[in-house]
Amino acid sequence: MITSYFPKYVALFAICVLCVGALDTFIAAVYEHAVILPNRTETPVSKEEALLLMNKNIDVLENAVKLAARQGAHIIVTPEDGIYGWVFTRETIYPYLEDIPDPEVNWIPCTDPQRFGHTPVQERLSCLAKHNSIYVVANIGDKKPCNASDPQCPPDGRYQYNTDVVFDSEGRLVARYHKYNLFAPEIQFDFPKDSESVTFETPFGKFGIFTCFDIFSHTPAVVVVDEFQVDSVLYPVAWYNTLPLLSAVPFHSAWARAMRVNLLAANTHNTSMHMTGSGIYAPEAVKVYHYDMETESGQLMLSKLKSRPRSEPTYPAAVDWSAYARSVKPFLSEQSNFPGMIYFDELTFIELKRNTGNYTVCQKDLCCHLTYKMSEKRTDEVYALGAFDGLHTVEGQYYLQICTLLKCQISDLRTCGEPVGSAFTKLEEFSLSGTFATRYVFPQIILSGSQLAPERHYEVLRDGRLRSRSRTPLPVLVLALYGRVFDKDPPRLGQGPRRLE
């Protein structure tokens, strides 16, 4: 089943703007897809059986594409693994792969399907784009032969890549991106030898594209924004939510805000694996998002975005994330710090014992400052301020600096950092800052029920403070400034020594 969220007036607007060349705004669509998974992935299936499964998923995506196009969408993003699922070996993924050429070949698979061999998936995606006059973004698998003259050639004689493809409104292949930072379980795919910064121009702005785990990286995620100056990022993901700091919607919306770029994020939907959370995010605001752990239905979202946000008067100013924190003295406290774990990282915490107060907690070079006022403080709810400054080493390696205020799971301090879903204590005022050694800091606020705080209730100041701006009491689960220190990263995120299967 496909449901959609879209203001009716935008469809009328879309009809008008299509009459001109370069568009000041465009209609973006993302589809969170409940993927139809194969019955088995431990043994290979025939190409015919693989195609049958893929066509079932494309049938669902086709309905979403047509619905989006009817509502005026210019582009639609579908999820990572959205056409055949996940948990494969190199051998069992092979029947699902196609040879995907470089877009420079100027190819419309819909009208010339045999040009690069047997490519029925690309043909069908191309026809979806062409027949509905919409850009279609999908995630499929690419295969490339290699031989013994290549010292990195796998024993089976081929490279296999997790691949995003983009077909324009005429059905032409305009972008192909091989995922550079594979997540630990993706043993079916190869790491590309070199990073790719894939961008392409449209009448409604310049786009970049990368996939899921790439968002933690400097290459390609930061590079396409900072060096290639894209206006919007296309982002297929298969993201399982890991509370408190790595839930899809809060993290992706924070990334768009901090990087000051449009982000179109399409997640797979599988509640048994905690996969949900898609959205359309602008630099200055969350446009629309979907988070649903209750049903198994797909969800289509549409929203109007500025085509070139950098030229807009509403474009947010750059933030100096450590300016305020370095200008103030640490708040003194007689309380002792205590350790706590978040996603295998040991934070230094201090408990917030009063309804109002000022606290500082430090780890290595990072000091986190918090000023707050609570209302309706529950005696059975415990909050703590935490700091982390170190290299994350599980399921990839990447250097983090984190300041976070969070609710502990229960009153036992040993549960601080564990997932928690609801809060009754409310924050009336807050100001969180840190002495960050990076300009890449992603601010997030998660409320009870894993919902986002509306922008009217908070602001990010140019001096690096995440601060309340209304006295509306908010049932906060997490406040976080999630910093990435890229110059302390190892060469590639997904190739760290420790992995948990």
Side-chain angles (χ1 to χ4, degrees):
M1 182 179 76
I2 297 175
T3 55
S4 67
Y5 171 88
F6 188 59
K8 292 181 179 178
Y9 73 89
V10 181
L12 297 175
F13 177 86
I15 295 171
C16 297
V17 298
L18 285 172
C19 301
V20 299
L23 305 179
D24 293 330
T25 62
F26 70 101
I27 308 303
V30 300
Y31 181 60
E32 181 164 308
H33 176 37
V35 183
I36 302 168
L37 300 174
N39 292 327
R40 63 185 189 274
T41 58
E42 68 281 0
T43 56
V45 299
S46 66
K47 289 186 176 182
E48 291 75 19
E49 188 174 344
L51 182 58
L52 183 65
L53 182 279
M54 289 190 286
N55 274 326
K56 289 179 181 178
N57 278 298
I58 299 174
D59 287 344
V60 179
L61 298 180
E62 179 176 359
N63 290 334
V65 169
K66 289 180 176 179
L67 181 56
R70 285 199 299 268
Q71 296 183 79
H74 297 84
I75 188 168
I76 183 169
V77 184
T78 63
E80 181 184 24
D81 301 330
I83 289 179
Y84 45 66
W86 49 86
V87 192
F88 290 94
T89 67
R90 286 187 63 83
E91 186 180 13
T92 60
I93 193 66
Y94 184 68
Y96 297 86
L97 307 181
E98 294 184 359
D99 180 17
I100 306 170
D102 189 306
E104 291 184 358
V105 299
N106 190 28
W107 180 41
I108 300 177
C110 188
T111 58
D112 190 6
Q114 300 299 320
R115 182 177 170 189
F116 295 97
H118 187 59
T119 55
V121 172
Q122 292 173 84
E123 177 187 355
R124 191 165 178 200
L125 293 171
S126 169
C127 290
L128 277 180
K130 177 179 174 62
H131 296 157
N132 293 282
S133 300
I134 186 174
Y135 282 69
V136 172
V137 183
N139 177 262
I140 57 178
D142 189 9
K143 59 182 180 181
K144 290 289 180 283
C146 56
N147 55 48
S149 64
D150 177 358
Q152 298 182 35
C153 182
D156 54 22
R158 61 180 181 267
Y159 289 110
Q160 300 180 170
Y161 300 117
N162 178 329
T163 308
D164 297 329
V165 290
V166 183
F167 297 93
D168 70 10
S169 56
E170 296 179 347
R172 180 176 290 103
L173 178 67
V174 293
R176 179 197 66 185
Y177 169 71
H178 294 144
K179 186 178 181 181
Y180 185 61
N181 298 285
L182 297 175
F183 197 54
E186 292 185 87
I187 59 172
Q188 69 270 37
F189 292 121
D190 294 298
F191 288 92
K193 295 177 184 177
D194 302 307
S195 64
E196 300 175 301
S197 295
V198 174
T199 66
F200 60 96
E201 297 279 357
T202 76
F204 43 94
K206 184 177 182 179
F207 284 77
I209 186 167
F210 52 80
T211 314
C212 206
F213 194 43
D214 284 322
I215 203 169
F216 288 95
S217 71
H218 186 270
T219 302
V222 172
V223 171
V224 296
V225 177
D226 283 0
E227 297 183 20
F228 288 83
Q229 295 283 292
V230 298
D231 301 302
S232 303
V233 170
L234 307 171
Y235 186 48
V237 304
W239 185 291
Y240 58 85
N241 294 302
T242 308
L243 297 173
L245 299 180
L246 292 177
S247 190
V249 169
F251 192 85
H252 301 160
S253 60
W255 191 91
R257 171 183 284 271
M259 298 302 295
R260 300 185 295 162
V261 68
N262 295 325
L263 182 68
L264 285 61
N267 200 0
T268 56
H269 188 84
N270 187 303
T271 57
S272 66
M273 296 187 67
H274 302 280
M275 287 178 168
T276 184
S278 305
I280 300 172
Y281 312 109
E284 75 284 356
V286 173
K287 291 298 186 178
V288 61
Y289 73 93
H290 176 70
Y291 178 92
D292 174 23
M293 284 292 292
E294 303 300 323
T295 71
E296 300 304 323
S297 301
Q299 180 76 16
L300 177 67
M301 287 150 280
L302 298 94
S303 183
K304 181 171 69 173
L305 290 172
K306 301 291 177 58
S307 298
R308 296 161 188 85
R310 285 184 175 83
S311 64
E312 296 294 328
T314 56
Y315 191 61
V319 175
D320 183 344
W321 288 102
S322 64
Y324 176 79
R326 295 190 185 280
S327 72
V328 299
K329 294 181 178 180
F331 302 119
L332 300 178
S333 174
E334 297 179 355
Q335 293 171 223
S336 298
N337 295 338
F338 64 94
M341 300 294 291
I342 296 181
Y343 194 37
F344 310 105
D345 297 322
E346 185 175 295
L347 280 73
T348 301
F349 281 107
I350 188 168
E351 182 184 357
L352 311 185
K353 288 198 170 183
R354 301 186 297 273
N355 286 357
T356 183
N358 306 292
Y359 284 96
T360 295
V361 65
C362 300
Q363 187 179 104
K364 295 182 183 177
D365 296 330
L366 177 67
C367 286
C368 305
H369 307 309
L370 174 70
T371 298
Y372 71 96
K373 180 181 179 181
M374 292 178 174
S375 65
E376 304 174 39
K377 176 71 169 70
R378 290 269 295 254
T379 57
D380 61 341
E381 292 190 329
V382 172
Y383 283 79
L385 174 67
F388 179 75
D389 185 354
L391 183 68
H392 177 83
T393 59
V394 174
E395 293 181 330
Q397 289 193 94
Y398 41 94
Y399 202 97
L400 301 172
Q401 287 187 324
I402 300 171
C403 292
T404 182
L405 160 69
L406 51 78
K407 182 195 168 189
C408 304
Q409 193 175 70
I410 57 176
S411 57
D412 186 341
L413 294 181
R414 289 175 295 183
T415 68
C416 295
E418 293 295 316
V420 57
S422 61
F424 295 93
T425 297
K426 296 181 180 179
L427 262 66
E428 287 186 16
E429 300 175 20
F430 56 83
S431 175
L432 179 65
S433 61
T435 57
F436 292 97
T438 177
R439 62 189 180 96
Y440 299 102
V441 178
F442 311 120
Q444 53 179 292
I445 304 178
I446 307 174
L447 303 183
S448 186
S450 297
Q451 298 301 304
L452 292 183
E455 283 89 357
R456 65 181 180 274
H457 294 315
Y458 71 94
E459 59 187 339
V460 176
L461 300 185
R462 294 184 68 176
D463 63 10
R465 281 178 286 174
L466 175 59
R467 190 177 73 171
S468 56
R469 65 176 175 187
S470 73
R471 291 185 174 271
T472 303
L474 299 175
V476 171
L477 292 179
V478 179
L479 296 179
L481 295 173
Y482 191 101
R484 284 285 289 110
V485 187
F486 295 113
D487 57 9
K488 292 187 177 183
D489 281 354
R492 187 175 291 184
L493 304 188
Q495 294 184 317
R498 294 178 61 201
R499 294 180 177 178
L500 297 184
E501 297 299 336

PDB file of all heavy atoms in Angstrom, residues 73 139 201 429 501:
ATOM      1  N   ALA A  73       5.844  15.984  -9.015  1.00  0.00           N
ATOM      2  CA  ALA A  73       7.232  15.801  -8.599  1.00  0.00           C
ATOM      3  C   ALA A  73       8.176  15.816  -9.797  1.00  0.00           C
ATOM      4  O   ALA A  73       7.878  15.255 -10.848  1.00  0.00           O
ATOM      5  CB  ALA A  73       7.383  14.495  -7.828  1.00  0.00           C
ATOM      6  N   ASN A 139      18.624   2.199  -6.330  1.00  0.00           N
ATOM      7  CA  ASN A 139      19.838   1.517  -5.897  1.00  0.00           C
ATOM      8  C   ASN A 139      19.813   0.082  -6.417  1.00  0.00           C
ATOM      9  O   ASN A 139      18.882  -0.671  -6.118  1.00  0.00           O
ATOM     10  CB  ASN A 139      19.935   1.544  -4.372  1.00  0.00           C
ATOM     11  CG  ASN A 139      21.147   0.796  -3.842  1.00  0.00           C
ATOM     12  OD1 ASN A 139      21.038  -0.359  -3.439  1.00  0.00           O
ATOM     13  ND2 ASN A 139      22.287   1.451  -3.815  1.00  0.00           N
ATOM     14  N   GLU A 201      23.845  18.133 -13.382  1.00  0.00           N
ATOM     15  CA  GLU A 201      23.043  19.355 -13.460  1.00  0.00           C
ATOM     16  C   GLU A 201      21.633  19.041 -13.942  1.00  0.00           C
ATOM     17  O   GLU A 201      21.423  18.136 -14.768  1.00  0.00           O
ATOM     18  CB  GLU A 201      23.690  20.357 -14.416  1.00  0.00           C
ATOM     19  CG  GLU A 201      25.061  20.854 -13.985  1.00  0.00           C
ATOM     20  CD  GLU A 201      24.995  21.961 -12.954  1.00  0.00           C
ATOM     21  OE1 GLU A 201      23.871  22.391 -12.619  1.00  0.00           O
ATOM     22  OE2 GLU A 201      26.072  22.394 -12.491  1.00  0.00           O
ATOM     23  N   GLU A 429      13.960  25.552  29.056  1.00  0.00           N
ATOM     24  CA  GLU A 429      15.083  26.303  28.499  1.00  0.00           C
ATOM     25  C   GLU A 429      16.301  25.394  28.441  1.00  0.00           C
ATOM     26  O   GLU A 429      16.491  24.530  29.301  1.00  0.00           O
ATOM     27  CB  GLU A 429      15.403  27.530  29.356  1.00  0.00           C
ATOM     28  CG  GLU A 429      14.262  28.518  29.482  1.00  0.00           C
ATOM     29  CD  GLU A 429      14.604  29.659  30.439  1.00  0.00           C
ATOM     30  OE1 GLU A 429      15.808  29.882  30.694  1.00  0.00           O
ATOM     31  OE2 GLU A 429      13.675  30.311  30.937  1.00  0.00           O
ATOM     32  N   GLU A 501      29.226  -8.734  13.632  1.00  0.00           N
ATOM     33  CA  GLU A 501      28.251  -9.246  12.639  1.00  0.00           C
ATOM     34  C   GLU A 501      26.884  -9.368  13.281  1.00  0.00           C
ATOM     35  O   GLU A 501      26.770  -9.635  14.460  1.00  0.00           O
ATOM     36  CB  GLU A 501      28.710 -10.607  12.120  1.00  0.00           C
ATOM     37  CG  GLU A 501      30.044 -10.522  11.374  1.00  0.00           C
ATOM     38  CD  GLU A 501      29.993  -9.637  10.160  1.00  0.00           C
ATOM     39  OE1 GLU A 501      28.911  -9.439   9.607  1.00  0.00           O
ATOM     40  OE2 GLU A 501      31.035  -9.133   9.753  1.00  0.00           O
TER      41      GLU A 501
END
